[in-house]
Amino acid sequence: MKDTEGLIDSSLAGKNLLYVARGTKLLGVIGIEDPIRPAMKKTLNQMRRYGIDEIVMLTGDSKAVAAKVAQDMDIDAYHAEILPEDKSNYVNKLKQRGTVMMVGDGINDAPALAFADVGVSLGGRQTDIAAESSAVTIHGEDPARLMEALELGRRTMRLVHQNFMATILVNSAAMLLGALGRISPLYAAIIHNTATLAVVLNSCRILQTAKPGMFARKRAA
């Protein structure tokens, strides 16, 4: 490394640089690299196949670091050297184009997590404010759990639609038969309660595939 001439060795490309100097003389340059979570690229590819058509990285790191990560991860776009309020502004702009899921784990991510349609706090080391600002908290460092959360959310919505349609059809049929005098009020009440029990049992199917302690969904205050 030719630090005395102010030149940066190629091995420091894509890293956060810390310059060490004495007076006006540059003594050296230290490259700090934040390693990418294992299996992150695989997870991003799976998310694309799952229907997520655009992945954008928002980071406070330097443009050189962001560019390298974006290239390695095949990310569609990135915004570097931005402040927490800038992240939330970008999230609001992206919301105008569709539903936005924001994933983060630090204090700087908290505003963006709160503004996103779905805020996800990922990692066992996430800050308290990030966890409180997010809608979903995933415990653990494995990015593959993002896919598990997406799959669970989609299964949950399918169950909601099934329950909604079943309740409307069964209760409407019971009301119609009762109005026509084909069944007594007692049988109508039995049909209604049976439909309610069936909806609850159908909803319990989601518990068969959820892993204990995988992630937590925030309850409304």
Side-chain angles (χ1 to χ4, degrees), residues 163 166-179 181-200:
N163 293 339
T167 301
I168 292 297
L169 292 175
V170 172
N171 287 342
S172 297
M175 292 173 59
L176 179 61
L177 292 174
R182 298 296 182 87
I183 59 175
S184 65
L186 175 61
Y187 283 112
I190 292 175
I191 292 174
H192 172 74
N193 291 331
T194 301
T196 302
L197 179 61
V199 165
V200 173

Side-chain angles (χ1 to χ4, degrees), residues 62-214:
S62 66
K63 293 181 180 180
V65 173
K68 185 176 186 302
V69 173
Q71 181 180 7
D72 293 342
M73 295 291 104
D74 292 330
I75 293 175
D76 298 308
Y78 67 90
H79 302 281
E81 300 178 2
I82 59 176
L83 300 175
E85 56 267 28
D86 298 324
K87 291 185 179 182
S88 60
N89 291 334
Y90 279 117
V91 166
N92 285 328
K93 291 179 181 178
L94 291 171
K95 286 175 65 176
Q96 299 175 5
R97 295 154 48 185
T99 303
V100 175
M101 181 179 75
M102 170 69 186
V103 181
D105 62 357
I107 295 176
N108 294 338
D109 300 321
L113 289 170
F115 279 105
D117 294 298
V118 181
V120 180
S121 178
L122 173 65
R125 297 175 298 175
Q126 73 265 20
T127 61
D128 291 339
I129 188 171
E132 290 297 327
S133 301
S134 61
V136 178
T137 300
I138 298 178
H139 304 292
E141 300 292 336
D142 187 3
R145 291 188 172 181
L146 282 172
M147 280 302 304
E148 295 176 359
L150 287 173
E151 292 170 354
L152 181 59
R154 184 166 292 186
R155 289 197 301 270
T156 301
M157 291 308 301
R158 282 200 299 264
L159 288 176
V160 169
H161 294 152
Q162 291 174 6
N163 293 339
F164 181 79
M165 293 302 299
T167 301
I168 292 297
L169 292 175
V170 172
N171 287 342
S172 297
M175 292 173 59
L176 179 61
L177 292 174
L180 296 175
R182 298 296 182 87
I183 59 175
S184 65
L186 175 61
Y187 283 112
I190 292 175
I191 292 174
H192 172 74
N193 291 331
T194 301
T196 302
L197 179 61
V199 165
V200 173
L201 293 177
N202 188 47
S203 300
C204 290
R205 291 196 298 129
I206 198 67
L207 300 177
Q208 297 176 356
T209 52
K211 297 181 180 179
M214 183 179 70

